[in-house]
């Protein structure tokens, strides 16, 4: 006989305790800043956390402490984090930086349509965050309704504050239209993301 078991994503506090326990087993310490950076890079997927933690512990094998420099040197940045940085560049009108981040992802063999889809998802999340924050919702409520992890909600609120709700809505709709254009053969996939980044990062 068997039974159904839900393996839900863990809360930040649980993840931190688990990571600290694994690091302590190796006789090492980690600063609060390095731990936060590690979680930002890995997200809340425990399989990914375990993999990245193993790399980090091997890298720091001869030392007794894990630093932010170690995390930056070893831990892979999730594509969702790169998308976040890309939209930050768009919001700040740093067009060259937004395009550079995009071309970096292409160099890593990430498909343009996947990037376009993630951009649409990010714009949509920001729109939801903006609406919820504007209505006075607490951080915990925003995290629950958007599915975002608690420790990134503040970052999303800051980013959402840089773009109007109208801009975010238009960006989501444009991403969908461009995806349809690519799938119907009317537009090259690489150009679809370029068009979004260039349009929404224009000064003025």
């Amino acid at each position: 006989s068997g039974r159904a078991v839900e393996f839900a994503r863990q809360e930040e506090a649980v993840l931190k305790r688990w990571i600290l326990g694994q690091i302590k087993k190796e006789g090492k310490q980690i600063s609060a800043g390095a731990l936060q950076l590690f979680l930002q890079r890995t997200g809340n997927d425990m399989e990914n956390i375990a993999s990245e933690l193993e790399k980090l512990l091997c890298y720091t094998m001869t030392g007794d402490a894990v630093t932010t420099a170690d995390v930056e040197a070893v831990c892979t940045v999730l594509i969702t984090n790169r998308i976040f940085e890309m939209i930050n560049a768009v919001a700040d009108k740093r067009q060259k930086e937004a395009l550079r981040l995009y071309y970096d992802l292409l160099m890593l063999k990430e498909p343009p349509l996947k990037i376009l889809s993630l951009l649409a998802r990010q714009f949509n999340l920001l729109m939801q965050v903006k609406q919820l924050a504007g209505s006075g919702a607490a951080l915990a409520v925003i995290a629950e309704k958007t599915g975002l992890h608690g420790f990134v909600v503040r970052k999303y609120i800051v980013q959402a504050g840089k773009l109007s709700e109208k801009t975010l809505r238009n960006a989501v709709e444009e991403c969908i239209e461009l995806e349809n254009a690519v799938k119907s053969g009317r537009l090259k996939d690489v150009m679809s993301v370029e068009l979004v980044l260039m349009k929404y990062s224009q000064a003025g």
Side-chain angles (χ1 to χ4, degrees), residues 76-115:
T76 305
V77 178
L78 289 174
I79 183 174
T80 49
N81 291 347
R82 292 180 186 269
I83 296 295
F84 189 91
E85 292 172 11
M86 199 183 297
I87 292 184
N88 253 346
V90 167
D92 294 337
K93 309 302 181 185
R94 293 181 283 116
Q95 190 173 91
K96 288 184 178 179
E97 176 66 8
L99 289 169
R100 183 192 67 76
L101 289 165
Y102 173 46
Y103 298 141
D104 283 350
L105 287 175
L106 293 182
M107 289 289 288
L108 294 171
K109 307 298 183 183
E110 292 291 350
L113 274 182
K114 177 182 177 182
I115 298 170

Side-chain angles (χ1 to χ4, degrees), residues 2 15 49 51 57 63 65-66 126 142 152 161-162 173 180 198:
L15 292 174
I49 288 174
S51 175
L57 291 172
V66 178
L126 289 170
I142 296 175
V152 300
K162 297 178 180 180
E173 292 172 356
N180 290 333
M198 291 175 72

Side-chain angles (χ1 to χ4, degrees), residues 10-197:
Q10 298 299 315
E11 294 297 324
E12 179 184 359
V14 175
L15 292 174
K16 283 184 174 180
R17 284 198 301 272
W18 185 79
I19 293 166
L20 288 170
Q22 298 302 306
I23 291 174
K24 188 176 180 180
K25 282 182 184 178
E26 299 297 324
K28 299 181 188 297
Q29 295 181 330
I30 186 171
S31 67
L35 178 58
Q36 196 67 39
L37 178 61
F38 178 77
L39 272 175
Q40 287 173 7
R41 291 210 167 190
T42 60
N44 61 349
D45 184 315
M46 289 195 74
E47 185 175 357
N48 187 52
I49 288 174
S51 175
E52 292 297 305
L53 186 57
E54 183 178 359
K55 284 164 50 179
L56 189 59
L57 291 172
C58 288
Y59 182 77
T60 59
M61 189 175 292
T62 57
D64 58 2
V66 178
T67 67
T68 53
D70 295 327
V71 175
E72 289 171 350
V74 177
C75 297
T76 305
V77 178
L78 289 174
I79 183 174
T80 49
N81 291 347
R82 292 180 186 269
I83 296 295
F84 189 91
E85 292 172 11
M86 199 183 297
I87 292 184
N88 253 346
V90 167
D92 294 337
K93 309 302 181 185
R94 293 181 283 116
Q95 190 173 91
K96 288 184 178 179
E97 176 66 8
L99 289 169
R100 183 192 67 76
L101 289 165
Y102 173 46
Y103 298 141
D104 283 350
L105 287 175
L106 293 182
M107 289 289 288
L108 294 171
K109 307 298 183 183
E110 292 291 350
L113 274 182
K114 177 182 177 182
I115 298 170
L116 185 64
S117 176
L118 288 170
L119 280 171
R121 177 182 179 276
Q122 181 76 0
F123 282 126
N124 188 48
L125 274 173
L126 289 170
M127 184 166 62
Q128 292 178 52
V129 168
K130 191 174 188 72
Q131 292 170 343
L132 288 165
S135 68
L139 295 179
V141 173
I142 296 175
E144 180 183 355
K145 289 188 175 294
T146 59
L148 291 169
H149 216 266
F151 60 85
V152 300
V153 170
R154 285 190 178 87
K155 288 173 59 180
Y156 275 69
I157 290 174
V158 171
Q159 190 174 75
K162 297 178 180 180
L163 297 162
S164 69
E165 187 174 333
K166 181 180 179 181
T167 297
L168 291 168
R169 190 180 301 280
N170 289 343
V172 172
E173 292 172 356
E174 185 140 8
C175 286
I176 294 170
E177 290 172 7
L178 288 169
E179 182 179 354
N180 290 333
V182 171
K183 289 180 176 178
S184 63
R186 292 180 286 116
L187 184 68
K188 291 185 176 180
D189 56 358
V190 172
M191 189 180 292
S192 65
V193 178
E194 289 175 337
L195 289 172
V196 174
L197 297 179

